[in-house]
Amino acid sequence: MDANSTRLKHNVARIRRDIRTTAREMQTLIDADLDCTGAARVLMHLQNDLKLYLEKQDAMASRHSPG
């Protein structure tokens, strides 16, 4: 596994952790009947980032697979 692939895997894992944390924070705000707009916005950006990283990871995997 090359350095780019390793870095990509670490970034995907980090973003997934950030999504879980932000989702918990958002749920806490919802439970307290507080405004969760900021947390929802952050969550949307994180999900978009994750999608881009996963697409990049798939592209790298298909480039390196035999066939």
Side-chain angles (χ1 to χ4, degrees):
M1 189 177 294
D2 65 358
N4 286 335
S5 181
T6 302
R7 193 174 318 120
L8 197 56
K9 279 182 73 172
H10 286 288
N11 283 333
V12 167
R14 178 187 50 81
I15 291 172
R16 285 182 170 152
R17 279 191 306 273
D18 290 348
I19 286 173
R20 286 191 299 271
T21 301
T22 304
R24 282 192 300 268
E25 290 170 0
M26 193 167 103
Q27 188 60 52
T28 300
L29 291 170
I30 290 169
D31 292 344
D33 200 25
L34 297 172
D35 182 25
C36 64
T37 305
R41 188 173 290 122
V42 169
L43 190 57
M44 282 182 5
H45 287 288
L46 287 169
Q47 289 171 334
N48 287 334
D49 288 349
L50 179 61
K51 182 180 176 189
L52 291 173
Y53 276 105
L54 290 175
E55 288 171 355
K56 187 174 181 178
Q57 194 174 40
D58 287 345
M60 285 179 66
S62 65
R63 252 186 273 142
H64 292 106
S65 66

